[in-house]
Amino acid sequence: MQKIIGDYSAFIANINSGLEKCGISNNELAMCDHICYRVETEARYQEMVVTIGKLAQKIDETIVSGRLITTFEFDEPLQVAGWSISCLELPQPKPGSPYTEGLEHAEFVTITSLAKFRACHSDLPFNDKGMDKTINPELGLKHAGISVKFHEQPLGAVVRIEQRLKLNN
């Protein structure tokens, strides 16, 4: 996987360092459930869906904020820097929102509710744009050289819940 998405070990080591600088302890986090890999073009997105799909199971492809996001689940979670990361998120690029290709953010499941987690870190500049999500609200944080999100349920479980809800509607 490292040949495809780059040095995820260094990426997660940087995330861990940034969390520490923010005063967030690994003991407050149940898991790092997924990492996000961004691409610059539609052609590269299609290429990466196929390439990653050879090494991980594609469990979802859904439209979020006007563009596709594909979720992959690793057959063997990535074991890195104290975390067992089970999923990778690959967003289709949004027109007018350019990203450099590479690992962009990591997402963590909190031990406590997001409200309690946020209250414990009231000094941090959280982005609460994702708090209005019906399933699995999230807090974003871009600070101390990292980009992370926090939520209460792992992505794989959320994908399966959403799929079941679609089947029942």
Side-chain angles (χ1 to χ4, degrees):
M1 188 55 67
Q2 187 162 323
K3 289 181 181 179
I4 296 168
I5 64 171
D7 190 354
Y8 57 82
S9 294
F11 175 75
I12 294 298
N14 183 62
I15 295 284
N16 281 344
S17 175
L19 289 171
E20 187 177 324
K21 288 175 188 171
C22 289
I24 298 171
S25 165
N26 287 359
N27 294 333
E28 298 175 81
L29 307 171
M31 63 179 13
C32 177
D33 72 316
H34 74 277
I35 52 179
C36 177
Y37 188 85
R38 298 271 189 176
V39 294
E40 293 183 36
T41 67
E42 173 65 25
R44 183 67 174 147
Y45 171 78
Q46 295 300 333
E47 178 185 331
M48 289 299 281
V49 166
V50 172
T51 301
I52 295 168
K54 292 176 183 174
L55 299 172
Q57 181 182 357
K58 180 175 157 182
I59 61 170
D60 194 42
E61 187 173 59
T62 190
I63 295 175
V64 177
S65 299
R67 48 80 161 92
L68 287 172
I69 295 183
T70 301
T71 303
F72 296 93
E73 190 169 62
F74 300 116
D75 293 331
E76 293 293 325
L78 303 177
Q79 302 298 324
V80 57
W83 300 108
S84 181
I85 303 169
S86 60
C87 293
L88 181 130
E89 183 178 73
L90 178 69
Q92 187 180 44
K94 276 187 191 176
S97 295
Y99 281 93
T100 302
E101 182 163 337
L103 290 163
E104 194 255 344
H105 72 265
E107 298 201 21
F108 295 86
V109 176
T110 59
I111 296 287
T112 64
S113 70
L114 288 180
K116 286 181 184 178
F117 180 78
R118 184 179 196 165
C120 286
H121 301 285
S122 59
D123 58 320
L124 294 175
F126 287 111
N127 177 336
D128 62 1
K129 185 174 73 172
M131 288 299 287
D132 61 352
K133 290 182 176 184
T134 306
I135 298 176
N136 213 27
E138 67 186 23
L139 285 173
L141 179 64
K142 289 184 181 182
H143 192 65
I146 61 171
S147 178
V148 292
K149 295 180 183 178
F150 304 97
H151 41 94
E152 296 176 3
Q153 298 178 62
L155 180 61
V158 171
V159 164
R160 287 171 177 88
I161 290 167
E162 290 174 338
Q163 289 170 341
R164 286 189 180 135
L165 289 173
K166 287 177 190 174
L167 288 175
N168 294 329
N169 287 334

